[in-house]
Amino acid sequence: MGEAMEVNLSPSPVTGTSPIQPYSPSIAKPMMLDTLPKTSKTSLATLLRVPIASPIKKPIASMQGYIKEVGNFTILDLQDSWLPITESTDGNACYSAFHTLNSGIGIQALVLPFAFTALGWTWGIVCLSLAFVWQLYTLWLLIQLHESVSGTRYSRYLILSMAAFGGKLGKLLALFPTMYLSGGTCVTLIIIGGGTLKILFQILCGDTCNATPLTTIEWYLVFTCSATIIAQLPNLNSIAGVSLIGAISAVSYCTVIWVVSIAKRRPNGVSYDPLETKSAAARLCSILNALGIIAFAFRGHNLVLEIQGTMPINAKHPSRIPMWRGVKFAYLIIAMCLFPLATGGYWAYGDLMPANGGMLNALYKYHGNDTSKVILILTSLLVVISCLSSFQLYAMPVFDNLEFRYTSKRNKPCPRWLRSGIRIFFGCLTFFISVALPFLPSLAGLLGGVALPVTLAYPCFMWILMKRPQKYSLNWCFNAALGVLGTVLSILVVTSAIWYLVTPGIQIHFFSPQ
C-alpha cells in the first residue's frame, strides 16, 4: 500500500460479479497480468485472444453485449486476491455492522467525560452532537466514493486518497495518519488491555492471595501474545465473528460502567465548573485537547473502505447499499452508548474524572469498595475481550500494507510462514512501544488530532475532486467549508496536544509502566 498500484485497484473476483469471470484466483498465474492491457476495462475478445476470423467471434461479441447490459466487465487485480483485506469478498450488511461497531466503540469512549471537564455541560453536548453528525456525513461520503469510478473499487483509504489528490500528495496526506492511527490504537489497546488484566487478577486474587503477581510489563506481554495468536486469522472477513464478540463486549461494558456510576453515590467534592487554568492560552489548549478527545472517540474512518471492500459487487447490487445499511444500524447502537456514557460519566464524577483511563479508572477509584465484586470482574473481562477484538481490526491495514510490499516485488502470494512472521513482528513492535511509551493513552487528544483530517476533512475534499460538483454550488461550498474547518481544527488540536507534552499537564515516564 505504500506504493501506487499500476493496475486496476478493484478487489478479488467474486461469484456473482458478472456472468463470466476473467479467471479464478485459485488457478490463475501472476504472469497473466503481464499480458493484459493495463486498463480497467477490456473486451471479452481481447481477454480470450480471439482471432479476427474466428468462428466464435460472433457469439463472443453477443456475450460481450449482454455483459454491458448487466454491468461493467472489469479486469480484476489478481494481487487483491492475495492481500488480507480483499482476499475474501463474502461480506454482507451484518459483517459491516459487526466491524463498524467494533471499531466505533471502545476504550476511546471511556475518556469522553474528561472532555466535558474542559467544555462544560452545554458546549460538551453541543460539540459531541456536532462531531457525531459530521463524522456520520463523511462516513456516507466515503461509502459513496468506494465505487465512484466505473469499473474501479477503492478498497483502501490510502488508495482513494491517491486517486483523489494524486499519487505523491495523496500518499503524503494519508499514509502517515492511517498507519499512525492503526499502530497508535493497537499500542493503546495493549496498555489498556494489559493494565486491565492486572486489575482483574488483583480482584480475583483478593487481599489474602499469596500468589506472586506479574509485573505490568508482563501483563502487557500476556495481552500481546493473546492478540498475536488471534491475529493469525487470515483476512478481514475471517475476523467477523471476533468483531461481533468485541462489539457485544464494548456495548456491554460501556452500559455497565455508566449505569453503575449513576446508581452509586457521587464522590464528595464533585464540581461541574470548567477546570481552572493559569492563563488564557492554557484554557484554549485544554478546550482544543477536549475536541481532540471527542474526535478520537469517532475514529474508524480509516477502516470503512476496507470493510466495504470485503463485499461482493455487481451493477444491480452495489456494495454501498448493504454497507450503509450495516453502518446505520451500528451507529444507532454507538449513539446509544456514547451519549449516555459521556453525560452520565460527567454527572457522576464531574471534574474528578481522571484523564488516564477515564470512566474505567474512575469506577475502580471511587466505587471499587462499594461495588459488587462480580460486576467489577465482569467489567474488566469485557474490557479485555473488547481490546483483543479491536486489536485485530486496527492491525489489519498494517498487515495488508506489509504484505502488499512483498507481493508487489515477488509477484506471488505471501507464504503462510511469512504472513505469520509479519504479524508476530507487528505484535513485538507494538509491545515495545507500549513499554517505552506507557503514557500514550493520556495523549488521546494527540491521536484525535492526527485522526481528525482522516475523519472530518479529507472525505469532503475527495468528494469535490472525484464527484466534481459545480464550482461554488451549495454542494461544493458545503464540502469545501467542512474540509477547511476540519483541517484547521486538526492543526489546532495537534498543537494543543504538543503543548500538553511540554508542560506538567501529563506525567511522562519512559519504560516505566505503572
mmCIF file of all heavy atoms in Angstrom, residues 246-265:
data_model
loop_
_atom_site.group_PDB
_atom_site.id
_atom_site.type_symbol
_atom_site.label_atom_id
_atom_site.label_comp_id
_atom_site.label_asym_id
_atom_site.label_seq_id
_atom_site.Cartn_x
_atom_site.Cartn_y
_atom_site.Cartn_z
ATOM 1 N N GLY A 246 -16.347 -8.637 20.013
ATOM 2 C CA GLY A 246 -15.831 -7.364 20.501
ATOM 3 C C GLY A 246 -16.900 -6.304 20.615
ATOM 4 O O GLY A 246 -16.908 -5.516 21.571
ATOM 5 N N ALA A 247 -17.815 -6.262 19.640
ATOM 6 C CA ALA A 247 -18.887 -5.265 19.682
ATOM 7 C C ALA A 247 -19.818 -5.517 20.869
ATOM 8 O O ALA A 247 -20.208 -4.568 21.582
ATOM 9 C CB ALA A 247 -19.675 -5.317 18.375
ATOM 10 N N ILE A 248 -20.190 -6.767 21.084
ATOM 11 C CA ILE A 248 -21.053 -7.097 22.224
ATOM 12 C C ILE A 248 -20.364 -6.742 23.537
ATOM 13 O O ILE A 248 -20.985 -6.176 24.455
ATOM 14 C CB ILE A 248 -21.438 -8.583 22.189
ATOM 15 C CG1 ILE A 248 -22.303 -8.892 20.961
ATOM 16 C CG2 ILE A 248 -22.162 -8.990 23.463
ATOM 17 C CD1 ILE A 248 -22.587 -10.362 20.760
ATOM 18 N N SER A 249 -19.073 -7.029 23.625
ATOM 19 C CA SER A 249 -18.317 -6.720 24.846
ATOM 20 C C SER A 249 -18.258 -5.219 25.087
ATOM 21 O O SER A 249 -18.452 -4.748 26.219
ATOM 22 C CB SER A 249 -16.897 -7.292 24.745
ATOM 23 O OG SER A 249 -16.917 -8.683 24.558
ATOM 24 N N ALA A 250 -17.983 -4.440 24.029
ATOM 25 C CA ALA A 250 -17.867 -2.992 24.178
ATOM 26 C C ALA A 250 -19.196 -2.365 24.604
ATOM 27 O O ALA A 250 -19.238 -1.515 25.507
ATOM 28 C CB ALA A 250 -17.378 -2.375 22.875
ATOM 29 N N VAL A 251 -20.281 -2.771 23.934
ATOM 30 C CA VAL A 251 -21.599 -2.249 24.312
ATOM 31 C C VAL A 251 -21.926 -2.613 25.753
ATOM 32 O O VAL A 251 -22.468 -1.797 26.518
ATOM 33 C CB VAL A 251 -22.679 -2.784 23.348
ATOM 34 C CG1 VAL A 251 -24.074 -2.408 23.837
ATOM 35 C CG2 VAL A 251 -22.463 -2.241 21.942
ATOM 36 N N SER A 252 -21.572 -3.821 26.143
ATOM 37 C CA SER A 252 -21.898 -4.298 27.494
ATOM 38 C C SER A 252 -21.137 -3.520 28.559
ATOM 39 O O SER A 252 -21.724 -3.030 29.529
ATOM 40 C CB SER A 252 -21.588 -5.789 27.609
ATOM 41 O OG SER A 252 -22.343 -6.543 26.685
ATOM 42 N N TYR A 253 -19.814 -3.388 28.400
ATOM 43 C CA TYR A 253 -19.072 -2.722 29.477
ATOM 44 C C TYR A 253 -19.334 -1.226 29.517
ATOM 45 O O TYR A 253 -19.318 -0.628 30.595
ATOM 46 C CB TYR A 253 -17.575 -3.048 29.416
ATOM 47 C CG TYR A 253 -16.740 -2.331 28.397
ATOM 48 C CD1 TYR A 253 -16.464 -0.975 28.496
ATOM 49 C CD2 TYR A 253 -16.135 -3.028 27.364
ATOM 50 C CE1 TYR A 253 -15.662 -0.330 27.577
ATOM 51 C CE2 TYR A 253 -15.330 -2.397 26.448
ATOM 52 C CZ TYR A 253 -15.095 -1.046 26.548
ATOM 53 O OH TYR A 253 -14.298 -0.408 25.634
ATOM 54 N N CYS A 254 -19.593 -0.611 28.355
ATOM 55 C CA CYS A 254 -19.969 0.810 28.374
ATOM 56 C C CYS A 254 -21.260 1.011 29.158
ATOM 57 O O CYS A 254 -21.375 1.932 29.976
ATOM 58 C CB CYS A 254 -20.129 1.336 26.944
ATOM 59 S SG CYS A 254 -18.572 1.610 26.070
ATOM 60 N N THR A 255 -22.242 0.138 28.901
ATOM 61 C CA THR A 255 -23.528 0.249 29.590
ATOM 62 C C THR A 255 -23.381 -0.020 31.078
ATOM 63 O O THR A 255 -23.930 0.717 31.916
ATOM 64 C CB THR A 255 -24.534 -0.734 28.962
ATOM 65 O OG1 THR A 255 -24.634 -0.485 27.555
ATOM 66 C CG2 THR A 255 -25.897 -0.578 29.606
ATOM 67 N N VAL A 256 -22.643 -1.069 31.427
ATOM 68 C CA VAL A 256 -22.463 -1.405 32.843
ATOM 69 C C VAL A 256 -21.778 -0.259 33.584
ATOM 70 O O VAL A 256 -22.184 0.118 34.697
ATOM 71 C CB VAL A 256 -21.653 -2.716 32.982
ATOM 72 C CG1 VAL A 256 -21.219 -2.927 34.433
ATOM 73 C CG2 VAL A 256 -22.469 -3.899 32.498
ATOM 74 N N ILE A 257 -20.746 0.326 32.984
ATOM 75 C CA ILE A 257 -19.974 1.368 33.670
ATOM 76 C C ILE A 257 -20.820 2.607 33.942
ATOM 77 O O ILE A 257 -20.824 3.132 35.061
ATOM 78 C CB ILE A 257 -18.713 1.717 32.849
ATOM 79 C CG1 ILE A 257 -17.707 0.574 32.914
ATOM 80 C CG2 ILE A 257 -18.069 3.002 33.365
ATOM 81 C CD1 ILE A 257 -16.472 0.783 32.066
ATOM 82 N N TRP A 258 -21.563 3.085 32.923
ATOM 83 C CA TRP A 258 -22.327 4.311 33.183
ATOM 84 C C TRP A 258 -23.542 4.056 34.073
ATOM 85 O O TRP A 258 -23.925 4.925 34.871
ATOM 86 C CB TRP A 258 -22.696 5.031 31.890
ATOM 87 C CG TRP A 258 -23.780 4.453 31.028
ATOM 88 C CD1 TRP A 258 -23.637 3.732 29.896
ATOM 89 C CD2 TRP A 258 -25.209 4.617 31.197
ATOM 90 N NE1 TRP A 258 -24.856 3.392 29.348
ATOM 91 C CE2 TRP A 258 -25.841 3.941 30.133
ATOM 92 C CE3 TRP A 258 -26.008 5.262 32.133
ATOM 93 C CZ2 TRP A 258 -27.221 3.891 29.991
ATOM 94 C CZ3 TRP A 258 -27.401 5.218 31.995
ATOM 95 C CH2 TRP A 258 -27.987 4.534 30.928
ATOM 96 N N VAL A 259 -24.134 2.871 33.984
ATOM 97 C CA VAL A 259 -25.276 2.561 34.858
ATOM 98 C C VAL A 259 -24.817 2.466 36.318
ATOM 99 O O VAL A 259 -25.452 3.037 37.226
ATOM 100 C CB VAL A 259 -25.959 1.257 34.404
ATOM 101 C CG1 VAL A 259 -26.941 0.774 35.471
ATOM 102 C CG2 VAL A 259 -26.695 1.471 33.086
ATOM 103 N N VAL A 260 -23.723 1.758 36.565
ATOM 104 C CA VAL A 260 -23.208 1.627 37.934
ATOM 105 C C VAL A 260 -22.772 2.988 38.473
ATOM 106 O O VAL A 260 -23.030 3.322 39.637
ATOM 107 C CB VAL A 260 -22.038 0.631 37.971
ATOM 108 C CG1 VAL A 260 -21.358 0.647 39.331
ATOM 109 C CG2 VAL A 260 -22.524 -0.777 37.639
ATOM 110 N N SER A 261 -22.137 3.795 37.642
ATOM 111 C CA SER A 261 -21.664 5.110 38.086
ATOM 112 C C SER A 261 -22.815 6.019 38.492
ATOM 113 O O SER A 261 -22.723 6.773 39.471
ATOM 114 C CB SER A 261 -20.835 5.767 36.972
ATOM 115 O OG SER A 261 -19.684 5.008 36.665
ATOM 116 N N ILE A 262 -23.908 5.956 37.765
ATOM 117 C CA ILE A 262 -25.072 6.787 38.099
ATOM 118 C C ILE A 262 -25.800 6.236 39.319
ATOM 119 O O ILE A 262 -26.304 6.999 40.160
ATOM 120 C CB ILE A 262 -26.022 6.874 36.885
ATOM 121 C CG1 ILE A 262 -25.387 7.721 35.777
ATOM 122 C CG2 ILE A 262 -27.367 7.471 37.281
ATOM 123 C CD1 ILE A 262 -26.240 7.848 34.535
ATOM 124 N N ALA A 263 -25.867 4.909 39.420
ATOM 125 C CA ALA A 263 -26.595 4.295 40.532
ATOM 126 C C ALA A 263 -25.914 4.535 41.871
ATOM 127 O O ALA A 263 -26.578 4.625 42.910
ATOM 128 C CB ALA A 263 -26.763 2.795 40.280
ATOM 129 N N LYS A 264 -24.590 4.655 41.877
ATOM 130 C CA LYS A 264 -23.866 4.864 43.132
ATOM 131 C C LYS A 264 -23.879 6.344 43.530
ATOM 132 O O LYS A 264 -24.122 7.223 42.711
ATOM 133 C CB LYS A 264 -22.417 4.375 42.987
ATOM 134 C CG LYS A 264 -22.283 2.895 42.675
ATOM 135 C CD LYS A 264 -22.737 2.035 43.837
ATOM 136 C CE LYS A 264 -22.555 0.558 43.537
ATOM 137 N NZ LYS A 264 -22.968 -0.306 44.671
ATOM 138 N N ARG A 265 -23.565 6.582 44.794
ATOM 139 C CA ARG A 265 -23.492 7.952 45.284
ATOM 140 C C ARG A 265 -22.273 8.648 44.689
ATOM 141 O O ARG A 265 -21.186 8.071 44.601
ATOM 142 C CB ARG A 265 -23.395 7.954 46.807
ATOM 143 C CG ARG A 265 -23.293 9.353 47.421
ATOM 144 C CD ARG A 265 -23.211 9.274 48.934
ATOM 145 N NE ARG A 265 -24.413 8.677 49.497
ATOM 146 C CZ ARG A 265 -24.588 8.467 50.799
ATOM 147 N NH1 ARG A 265 -23.618 8.794 51.655
ATOM 148 N NH2 ARG A 265 -25.710 7.928 51.252
#
